[in-house]
Amino acid sequence: MQVTVPRLFTVRAIVFGCVLLLAFVLVYPTLHSYLQQKADVDQLRAQVAAAQERNDDLQADLDRWKDPAYVATQARERLSFVLPGEKAFHVSDPETVPDTTPTAQGPAAALDTGSTQPWYASVWQSVQVAGKTPVAATPDAPGDNGTSAPSSGG
């Protein structure tokens, strides 16, 4: 009795594997470039669609400018034009118009009121400016509580 052991790798299986490997090596680069080009074409089609939409928007804007009523409205809004016989009023928003404060003379003018420094730096700068201010000593100057100084005669 003869026992046959099945072979895992027959000549036929090896040849079939080589043919499959060769087919894969030959087909893969072509398939890869096909899929890459298809993705590129899809991306270009999306760009063309976006450009077409932008073109349509610009054409609609151009068509609006052909309408005399639209031109008149834009002239009124953008250039503040008025028709003959109309009166134009310009209202300024107080939140957008900066207040113009008169510039003071003296040591207080040395302080920068519009700076972005912290509050304690502003206080310290104020103390330094106040320390440099000359104080004129007069004999009839009022006292600390706002009353005049007591006279020495009596």
Side-chain angles (χ1 to χ4, degrees), residues 107 111 119-133:
L111 295 176
W119 65 270
Y120 50 84
S122 299
V123 170
W124 181 247
Q125 187 178 10
S126 172
V127 169
Q128 288 177 335
V129 170
K132 295 178 184 176
T133 305

Side-chain angles (χ1 to χ4, degrees), residues 75-76 79-91:
R76 286 175 177 263
L79 305 174
S80 301
F81 282 5
V82 293
L83 293 175
E86 293 180 345
K87 291 184 180 180
F89 294 98
H90 182 70
V91 179

Side-chain angles (χ1 to χ4, degrees), residues 2-153:
Q2 187 177 17
V3 177
T4 58
V5 177
R7 292 187 191 175
L8 292 175
F9 296 107
T10 62
V11 174
R12 186 179 291 172
I14 291 174
V15 169
F16 183 69
C18 288
V19 168
L20 283 179
L21 182 63
L22 182 64
F24 178 75
V25 167
L26 292 176
V27 170
Y28 177 74
T30 307
L31 182 64
H32 184 286
S33 65
Y34 168 74
L35 293 175
Q36 181 66 35
Q37 288 176 0
K38 185 173 185 206
D40 291 344
V41 167
D42 290 342
Q43 183 180 8
L44 289 174
R45 284 185 179 148
Q47 288 178 357
V48 166
Q52 184 64 39
E53 183 177 335
R54 172 90 172 125
N55 191 18
D56 293 343
D57 290 342
L58 291 174
Q59 186 62 43
D61 192 30
L62 188 62
D63 291 341
R64 277 194 297 269
W65 280 101
K66 291 178 182 177
D67 183 19
Y70 181 76
V71 173
T73 303
Q74 292 301 312
R76 286 175 177 263
E77 290 177 4
R78 294 183 182 187
L79 305 174
S80 301
F81 282 5
V82 293
L83 293 175
E86 293 180 345
K87 291 184 180 180
F89 294 98
H90 182 70
V91 179
S92 298
D93 188 7
E95 293 179 4
T96 59
V97 177
D99 290 335
T100 56
T101 57
T103 57
Q105 300 296 330
L111 295 176
D112 185 17
T113 57
S115 68
T116 57
Q117 61 185 358
W119 65 270
Y120 50 84
S122 299
V123 170
W124 181 247
Q125 187 178 10
S126 172
V127 169
Q128 288 177 335
V129 170
K132 295 178 184 176
T133 305
V135 178
T138 59
D140 291 34
D144 286 343
N145 62 359
T147 61
S148 59
S151 61
S152 60

